[in-house]
Structures are given as C-alpha cells and as structure tokens.
C-alpha cells in the first residue's frame, strides 16, 4: 500500500444499530473500489472486518476493525480509513475508541427496520464529538422497504438538518437506480455500483421538488449574498452548491441521506464520491493537547512536516495475529525503527515496523503521515490512550473517553492450577477492551468481573476458553453485608482449661455498645482498676475482639461500629496467658454481641438513570420495587430525564438488562457507593438462615 498525503485521507467511522449492515457496507466499498476480488458475507463468516472467531460464531461485530479503502476519485487517489464498529450496546467501548480517531461518520440505517435505538445513539455520539455525518440507507433491494416513510421519520426525529441527496428509482418493485437531488439527474445501475444517466421518472417529481427546495434553502443560509440571490429567485451554479454543501456538511448543519443495497453492492460508488467531496480530510480539524515541557496548551494542524506526535486509540491483542497498537498520527511522520517516547509513562520505545491493518491482515508501509491511521506491533509499554512523540517535543493528548462498566458478575476458575493462564488471558482481554474491569474482593472472598452488559461478559468467558484454554463460570456476586449492634450490654467471658502442668485461665468482664462510626470495625478501651487484669494482657483482649470482627456472630459478615470496653476481670499468676485472655474476650464478644440487638447492614448505592421522558414513570416504578428511594429528577439534553435514587446493592443485580428492556435500549445508568443502612427484618432473617452453615463451620 502506498503512502497517502493528509489531504488524500478520510477517517470515517461506521455507526448504527446492530444488524443494520455496517460490516456489509465496509465489504461492499472495498469490493467496488477494487480492493478485494469477491465480497464476503456475514452468514459465510468471511468478511474483512468480522474475522474474530466469536464474531463469526455469533454473526455480529464485537470489536472495531480498520478497513482502509483505496479509491480512485475525481481528484485522484483517496484512502478512506473505515472504522467498522459493533452495533450492540455492550461493546460501546469499541465505538468510543473508533469515534475518537474519526473525522466523520456514516450512520447506517436499514430501510425496512427504520430508525432504531442504535440509530439514535449514533446520532447522539456524533453530536457529542461534533462529527460530520451521512445517513446511508441499506436494504433498498427489499421492495417492502419504504424510503419515503423512513425519510419522514428521519426528518421528524433529527430535524431540518436531514437532507435527502438521493431519491429511489424503482421498476417492477425493484431498486434500479436513484435520482441525484444535488445534480438533478437520474442514475440507473448497470453493473454493481456503476450507473448511467437516465430520465427522472414522473412519480419522483413531486418529492424531488420538495427535496431540492430544502437543499437550496440550506445553500442560501450559508451567506447573506446567497440568501439575497435565493430570495430574488436566482439560482446557484454547481460549484457554488457543492462548496456550500461541503461547508454545511463539515459543520454538521446538513446531514445528507444516501442509499444503496449492500448485498447487490449498489450505491457505493456514489457514497465514496460523496465521502471524497463532502467529508473533511484530517487537517480540517486541529489536534489539541498539552506541551509537557512547559505545561502549556498545545494546538496544531495535522501537518507532516513538524515533530512527530500520535495517539494510541486502540489495542488489539490476538494470540494468532499478535499485539498491535492502533495509532492516529497527529503531527509529523511515523517511520519504522524510530525512537519514540511514551509521554505519559516517560518511557522510550522503538517503533519497529509500521503497518496498515485491513481486518486481520497487516500490510507493511514505509511511513504514516499526519492524519493517517495505522499500527505498530509489539510495543511493550504503550497501551490504549497513550501518546507517543519525540522526547525533544513531548506532546500529551487525551485518550478516548470510555464508558464505565457497572454490570458485575462473580467468577470462579473451573480447573485448579490454571490461575496463571487465567490471569494472563484476562489481562490481555482488558488491554483490548477498556470497559472490562477485574476486582479481587478479599472481604467477601470472591473475584469479580465488570462489563457494560451480560452479553459482553458471556463473550469474555468464551474468549478465555477459545483463545487461552481456561474455563471460568459466572455467578451472582455476593453482597458485602456487615454486622453491628444497636444496644449497650455487658458480658463476661471466662476461659479455663486444665490438662496437666500449667493450665489456661483468662477472665474478663466487658461492655459492648454502638460506636457511631461505621467506618471502623471496633473501638477498644479499658477502665480496669486495681490490676484485676494486668496491663500486659490488654493487647490480647483487643486481639480477641479484632479477630471476632472479621466474621461476626450473626451471619459471619465483617463487624463494624462496635465499642468494646474492658471493665474488669481476674487472672491466675501461673495459668493466665495472652492466649487465655484472647479466648476469654472472644467468648465475651460473641455472647454480648448477640444480646445487643445485632443487625445486618446492607450497602446502599446512589443510582443515576438517564432515560427519555416517556420512560420516567416505568423506571421510577421499577426503582421503587427494588426498595429504592427516588431522590429527584432533572431534565438533561435531548428530551431526557436524569433520575437519582438510593437503592440497596442487593436489588441491583440484573438491572442493566431490565433497564434496556423497559426503555428499548435507550436507558443508561451509573452508580456509586453511598453508605450502609440497616437491612429490613425479612431480608436479614433470610440471610442469617442462609449463612448458618458458615457459623457452624467456624464453631467446629
């Protein structure tokens, strides 16, 4: 593959609902451009971008893939770096990484399915990142698909920005061509995406007039001069229209709607021409970072003739194709075997060979210029989000903004002795997917894995088995209950044992009461008078209390918020020992704790849920069912509401699935730990009964 200059590059992310046809669009563009000799298909499992075993098995994208399309356009050679992203919401981290490297987006919409949740989410992420976009409508070969109906829905949902650039031509209920609204000419397909000019059918005229008028209004609004000419009835030249449309599309003020058939590879030549003409090259934007040498704000155009700087926006770790760090070059030129500097980690590495990835194929290239996307292999320190530069010009860029995971499952290894394989496999998967998180919960003796959703965690289990030959099982996580007391009591503990020779003797009288501090297990004090318990045994008494707080007498959960005071006791000058007094304190603690109105405490989380207005009633009703207390509600952008509620952690299991079901996938949530509260009596009784075996085992 040859080296392309910045002006010849278009970085385009494919967005849309799962199953809308993004991968087929990437496949068809590669085929029409002549980069591949035959189109693959999802059903056959032989597409460029869905090459992973899990993707082939499941029939949908799991990871973002890079598909560079080399295209001979009107102005010469062009390289379109397509970033094919997953459409399923569990893999949103992959989308966020891709969007951070893109300069424009194609939102793929299935004409028959219409506007889906993924379509709306794609629009929202483009708005958030300020990406120019085109709607590309697929499945036009289905005669039951209504383009006119879809167009009305797009305009209603997304506003006057939406502008049809194409209107379909059908004959005998078949999609045979389209009308180019910009050029006011008919196009009839001859072979694949090739077409010839044709007459505009009469039945298109009415819709064409409306679409053309909307386009001319948009052109007129780009300047006062154009507006005056438009109002006076003057027309615009093709060059004026094209220039005005490019400005509006680059600024996101116009969103064209184009069409095609992925299966028949129709409409993709026109799409690539639009990408060339209307989408910006990387130098349309500036790269913004921090100059580490002086701490000042850094802004620069994508320019190949200055010092090197680049962002690592994704990492691929595959046991078969190896590890690749995907980079977008911001300034300068990245060359093989160069000394590069990881700015954030203050470490030098060597670039090695430079590649352009096409799916799983790594194509070696002599260099990558500013604005281009490529890959480096086997970097030992550099990970996703890092910045590489020259040590003499250390620029630091922000990494991708990645969603936090809130779906949690407990996992156990099936075969003992494979812990090292599991640790290695998990670390590699987490290096690839930043929305995965591993937590070792020592307090509850469980290992936890966090992800965006259940499907993502299922894929993790499958990948661990397939790639790294280690099997794990997922289960419901244990809730971190704690134990405390509500009353003040006194209790005595006597430990006496005689077995020939020296015996064991310890005797204590203690009081136990709430300390008021649930952050600490216990507070220990002594008010012993007259040496009834020698001072050298005080630490042993406290040690007995400390050990009892690890597993409480109620349900074997950690104890918090207890004040223990040593009041009195007695000792034997020969038989007393530290061990005897520790045991005496243990006896006193267990007796006193169970007399002092013991209760279980459960963790309470403050949950934030963002949903469209129409779902607020259902969501609040569901939170109430989960013993939640709604704290308030406030409006946020795009007709959505932010609902805040305090909910027991026990009731949050499976909430992600339930929220998606209630809101059609539109709801998102997050949570953070708030405090511990007393558990209701019925739940406490159930938990204590369930944990009885733990107490019995400890007693033995």
């Amino acid at each position: 593959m040859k080296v392309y200059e910045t002006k010849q590059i278009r970085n385009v992310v494919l967005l849309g609902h799962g199953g809308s046809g993004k991968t087929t669009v990437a496949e068809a563009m590669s085929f029409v451009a002549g980069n591949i000799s035959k189109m693959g298909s999802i059903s056959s499992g032989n597409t460029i971008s869905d090459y992973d075993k899990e993707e082939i098995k499941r029939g949908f994208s799991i990871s973002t893939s890079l598909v560079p399309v080399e295209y001979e356009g009107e102005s010469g050679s062009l390289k379109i770096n397509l970033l094919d992203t997953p459409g399923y919401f569990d893999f949103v981290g992959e989308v966020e990484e891709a969007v951070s490297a893109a300069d424009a987006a194609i939102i793929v919409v299935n004409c028959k399915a219409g506007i889906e949740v993924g379509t709306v989410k794609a629009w929202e992420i483009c708005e958030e990142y300020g990406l120019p976009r085109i709607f590309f409508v697929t499945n036009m070969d289905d005669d039951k698909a209504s383009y006119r109906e879809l167009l009305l829905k797009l305009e209603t949902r997304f506003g006057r920005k939406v502008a049809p650039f194409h209107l379909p031509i059908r004959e005998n209920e078949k999609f045979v061509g389209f009308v180019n609204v910009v050029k006011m000419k008919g196009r009839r397909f001859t072979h694949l995406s090739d077409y010839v000019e044709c007459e505009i059918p009469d039945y298109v005229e009415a819709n064409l007039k409306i679409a053309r008028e909307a386009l001319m209004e948009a052109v007129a609004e780009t300047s006062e001069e154009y507006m005056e000419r438009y109002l006076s009835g003057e027309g615009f030249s093709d060059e004026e229209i094209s220039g005005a449309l490019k400005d509006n599309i680059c600024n996101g003020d116009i969103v064209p709607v184009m069409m095609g058939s992925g299966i028949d590879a129709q409409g993709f030549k026109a799409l690539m021409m639009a990408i060339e003409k209307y989408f910006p090259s990387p130098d349309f934007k500036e790269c913004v970072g921090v100059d580490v040498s002086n701490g000042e704000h850094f802004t620069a155009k994508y320019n190949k003739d200055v010092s090197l700087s680049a962002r690592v926006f994704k990492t691929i770790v595959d046991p078969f194709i190896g590890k690749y760090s995907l980079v977008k070059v911001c300034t300068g030129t990245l060359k093989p075997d160069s000394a590069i500097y990881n700015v954030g980690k203050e470490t030098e590495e060597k670039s090695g060979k430079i590649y352009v990835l096409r799916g799983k194929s790594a194509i070696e290239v002599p260099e990558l210029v500013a604005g281009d996307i490529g890959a480096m292999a086997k970097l030992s320190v550099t990970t996703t989000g890092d910045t590489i530069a020259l040590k003499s010009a250390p620029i630091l860029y922000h990494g991708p903004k990645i969603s936090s995971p809130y779906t949690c499952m407990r996992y156990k290894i099936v075969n003992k002795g494979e812990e090292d394989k599991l640790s290695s496999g998990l670390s590699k998967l987490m290096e690839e997917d930043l929305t995965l998180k591993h937590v070792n919960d020592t307090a509850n003796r469980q290992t936890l894995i966090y992800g965006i959703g259940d499907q993502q965690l299922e894929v993790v289990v499958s990948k661990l088995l397939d790639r790294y030959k280690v099997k794990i099982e997922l289960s419901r996580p244990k809730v971190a209950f704690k134990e405390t007391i509500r009353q003040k009591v006194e209790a005595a503990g006597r430990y006496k044992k005689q077995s020939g020779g020296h015996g064991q003797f310890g005797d204590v009288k203690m009081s136990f009461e709430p300390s008021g501090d649930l952050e600490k297990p216990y507070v220990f004090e002594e008010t012993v008078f007259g040496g009834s318990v020698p001072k050298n045994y005080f630490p042993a008494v406290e040690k007995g209390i400390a050990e009892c707080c690890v597993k409480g007498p109620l349900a074997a959960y950690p104890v918090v918020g207890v004040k223990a005071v040593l009041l009195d006791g007695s000792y034997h000058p020969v038989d007393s020992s530290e061990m005897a007094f520790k045991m005496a304190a243990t006896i006193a603690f267990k007796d006193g704790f169970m007399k002092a109105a013991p209760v279980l405490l459960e963790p309470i989380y403050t949950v934030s849920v963002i949903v469209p207005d129409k779902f607020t009633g259902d969501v609040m009703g569901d939170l109430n069912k989960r013993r939640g207390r709604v704290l308030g509600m406030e409006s946020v952008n795009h007709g959505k509401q932010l609902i805040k509620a305090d909910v027991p952690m026990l009731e949050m299991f499976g909430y992600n699935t339930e929220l998606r079901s209630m809101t059609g996938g539109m709801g998102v949530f997050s949570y953070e730990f708030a405090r511990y509260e007393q558990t209701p009596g019925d739940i406490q009784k159930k938990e204590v009964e369930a944990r009885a075996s733990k107490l019995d085992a400890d007693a033995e």
Side-chain angles (χ1 to χ4, degrees):
M1 185 177 288
K2 71 176 189 177
V3 175
Y4 288 82
E5 297 299 317
T6 305
K7 291 282 186 188
Q8 298 173 291
I9 296 166
R10 303 289 185 273
N11 297 315
V12 182
V13 61
L14 293 171
L15 302 173
H17 197 79
S20 60
K22 299 180 295 299
T23 297
T24 303
V25 166
E27 197 76 12
M29 287 176 66
S30 298
F31 179 55
V32 169
N35 299 164
I36 56 176
S37 58
K38 184 181 178 183
M39 269 185 69
S41 67
I42 304 291
S43 57
S44 301
N46 60 351
T47 61
I48 301 170
S49 51
D50 284 0
Y51 58 85
D52 186 84
K53 281 186 179 180
E54 285 299 314
E55 293 176 317
I56 295 168
K57 180 172 75 176
R58 296 170 187 269
F60 58 77
S61 298
I62 291 171
S63 302
T64 290
S65 296
L66 180 61
V67 182
V69 177
E70 296 180 278
Y71 166 68
E72 286 300 319
E74 294 180 358
S75 57
S77 298
L78 191 73
K79 182 186 180 189
I80 304 170
N81 286 318
L82 289 178
L83 294 153
D84 180 20
T85 66
Y88 290 93
F89 309 136
D90 281 19
F91 310 103
V92 65
E94 297 285 337
V95 178
E96 290 164 331
E97 289 174 345
V99 167
S100 73
D103 303 311
I106 295 171
I107 302 177
V108 182
V109 185
N110 185 312
C111 191
K112 192 172 182 180
I115 297 176
E116 299 174 276
V117 177
T119 315
V120 178
K121 285 182 176 280
W123 178 276
E124 289 175 351
I125 202 167
C126 288
E127 290 283 284
E128 181 183 349
Y129 283 82
L131 288 182
R133 71 217 73 152
I134 289 174
F135 280 116
F136 188 77
V137 180
T138 60
N139 212 23
M140 289 300 298
D141 50 290
D142 191 325
D143 63 331
K144 294 178 182 176
S146 174
Y147 179 77
R148 183 181 177 187
E149 185 180 329
L150 174 61
L151 204 54
L152 288 171
K153 288 179 179 177
L154 289 171
E155 290 170 346
T156 302
R157 183 67 182 79
F158 302 115
R160 293 183 63 188
K161 287 183 176 184
V162 176
F165 274 32
H166 289 173
L167 296 175
I169 298 176
R170 291 186 182 276
E171 288 181 5
N172 300 321
E173 298 183 341
K174 286 188 176 181
F175 177 57
V176 296
F178 62 92
V179 175
N180 186 322
V181 179
V182 179
K183 295 188 175 180
M184 294 291 283
K185 291 180 179 178
R187 310 295 194 201
R188 177 184 287 275
F189 294 122
T190 53
H191 176 68
L192 302 176
S193 278
D194 292 336
Y195 55 76
V196 293
E197 191 172 325
C198 68
E199 293 292 322
I200 298 175
D202 295 339
Y203 63 84
V204 178
E205 289 290 350
N207 291 330
L208 178 59
K209 187 176 181 182
I210 296 169
R212 178 71 176 180
E213 194 64 30
L215 268 186
M216 292 306 102
E217 273 187 42
V219 170
E221 288 175 0
T222 58
S223 73
E224 289 184 11
E225 179 198 342
Y226 282 10
M227 183 57 76
E228 286 178 12
R229 286 168 56 185
Y230 175 73
L231 293 174
S232 65
E234 286 186 47
F236 303 108
S237 68
D238 288 347
E239 289 75 17
E240 288 172 333
I241 293 171
S242 182
L245 289 177
K246 175 159 186 166
D247 291 342
N248 276 269
I249 293 168
C250 286
N251 293 327
D253 294 327
I254 289 181
V255 179
V257 184
M258 303 178 72
M259 66 176 71
S261 165
I263 294 173
D264 298 327
Q266 294 174 328
F268 293 96
K269 184 175 180 181
L271 177 60
M272 288 188 283
M273 290 170 67
I275 290 171
E276 177 187 17
K277 186 180 292 186
Y278 299 122
F279 274 173
S281 56
D283 56 0
F284 177 76
K285 289 183 177 180
E286 294 177 325
C287 34
V288 178
V290 175
D291 187 336
V292 175
S293 64
N294 55 27
E296 293 182 359
H297 189 74
F298 172 84
T299 304
K301 284 281 189 184
Y302 285 85
N303 180 358
K304 71 169 189 176
D305 297 321
V306 294
S307 297
L308 171 70
S309 67
R311 292 188 299 113
V312 179
F313 68 90
K314 178 174 173 56
T315 303
I316 297 173
V317 185
D318 188 284
F320 303 107
I321 68 172
K323 175 184 173 181
Y324 290 98
S325 300
L326 270 64
V327 298
K328 182 178 184 182
V329 182
C330 298
T331 59
T333 303
L334 179 61
K335 296 185 177 181
D337 300 318
S338 303
I340 56 174
Y341 182 63
N342 186 313
V343 181
K345 293 173 179 168
E346 299 181 348
T347 306
E348 286 191 74
E349 292 204 73
K350 202 169 186 180
S351 60
K353 293 179 180 179
I354 306 298
Y355 300 95
V356 166
L357 298 186
R358 178 174 279 139
K360 66 180 178 181
S361 302
I363 305 163
E364 192 175 341
V365 290
E367 63 183 29
L368 289 173
V369 303
D372 207 350
I373 292 173
M376 291 183 287
K378 300 176 183 177
L379 294 182
S380 57
V381 175
T382 303
T383 56
T384 302
D386 288 350
T387 300
I388 57 172
L390 298 182
K391 196 170 184 180
S392 58
I395 305 301
L396 186 66
Y397 299 110
H398 290 296
K401 178 184 172 185
I402 303 294
S403 294
S404 298
Y406 292 102
T407 298
C408 168
M409 292 292 280
R410 180 186 184 189
Y411 71 89
K412 282 186 176 180
I413 195 165
V414 173
N415 301 314
K416 289 183 179 180
E418 295 183 344
E419 287 79 9
D420 289 343
K421 281 202 295 183
L422 175 60
S423 176
S424 173
L426 264 182
S427 65
K428 288 174 181 175
L429 291 180
M430 289 189 291
E431 194 174 353
E432 267 195 310
D433 186 350
L434 299 187
T435 62
L436 286 178
K437 188 172 72 171
H438 164 268
V439 175
N440 188 13
D441 181 9
T442 53
N444 293 287
R445 296 183 179 182
Q446 61 180 348
T447 46
L448 303 173
I449 187 164
Y450 285 80
I452 299 297
D454 295 329
Q455 191 175 54
Q456 179 190 18
L457 298 182
E458 286 175 19
V459 169
V460 168
V461 173
S462 188
K463 281 186 176 181
L464 283 172
L465 182 59
D466 182 61
R467 289 186 181 183
Y468 305 107
K469 310 306 176 191
V470 58
K471 188 175 183 180
I472 63 169
E473 290 178 344
L474 300 181
S475 60
R476 182 170 184 152
K478 291 187 286 186
V479 174
F481 287 101
K482 292 186 178 180
E483 301 179 20
T484 193
I485 54 177
R486 286 285 180 256
Q487 294 177 5
K488 181 176 181 178
V489 298
E490 291 188 1
R494 175 182 282 250
Y495 182 73
K496 186 176 181 180
K497 194 172 183 181
Q498 197 71 40
S499 58
H502 285 305
Q504 296 287 347
F505 181 83
D507 177 35
V508 296
K509 182 182 180 183
M510 304 189 70
S511 71
F512 300 96
E513 63 184 296
S515 70
D517 184 2
L518 297 180
E519 298 293 319
K520 294 180 180 178
Y522 68 92
V523 175
F524 176 71
E525 295 177 2
E526 54 79 23
T527 58
V528 176
F529 290 99
S532 56
V533 178
K535 288 184 177 179
N536 57 305
Y537 293 133
F538 291 171
V541 173
E542 183 176 356
K543 187 176 182 182
I545 303 301
E547 288 183 3
C548 286
C549 286
V550 175
K551 277 189 177 181
L554 182 61
Y557 284 113
V559 172
V560 293
V562 173
K563 181 179 180 182
V565 182
L566 176 61
L567 303 174
D568 201 359
S570 61
Y571 75 104
H572 189 281
V574 177
D575 291 348
S576 287
S577 66
E578 289 185 0
M579 192 273 283
F581 272 97
K582 187 183 85 167
M583 294 302 295
T586 300
I587 294 166
F589 182 92
K590 289 180 178 178
D591 181 42
F593 192 92
M594 295 307 290
K595 291 177 181 176
V599 293
L600 277 185
L601 301 174
E602 63 179 342
I604 304 296
Y605 281 72
T606 298
V607 181
S608 299
V609 189
I610 298 177
V611 292
D613 292 337
K614 62 182 178 180
F615 298 117
T616 53
D618 292 340
V619 170
M620 286 196 287
D622 180 73
L623 290 171
N624 288 329
K625 287 179 189 174
R626 295 173 185 272
R627 297 191 286 124
R629 294 192 298 274
V630 175
L631 305 176
M633 188 169 73
E634 62 180 271
S635 295
V636 291
N637 293 335
H638 309 299
K640 293 183 179 181
Q641 296 288 336
L642 168 62
I643 303 167
K644 286 205 169 186
D646 281 349
V647 185
M649 181 188 174
L650 184 66
E651 308 294 341
M652 287 300 293
F653 183 74
Y655 185 65
N656 180 61
T657 302
E658 188 64 31
L659 180 64
R660 286 184 185 174
S661 176
M662 277 188 294
T663 63
M666 287 300 296
V668 294
F669 77 103
S670 61
Y671 58 75
E672 59 182 8
F673 172 75
R675 64 192 171 278
Y676 272 87
E677 286 185 1
Q678 184 172 333
T679 306
D682 58 331
I683 293 174
Q684 175 168 317
K685 182 182 177 183
K686 186 177 177 182
E687 192 64 27
V688 169
E689 289 173 355
R691 300 274 291 184
S693 61
K694 293 277 185 185
L695 292 169
D696 293 341
D698 292 341
E700 292 171 6

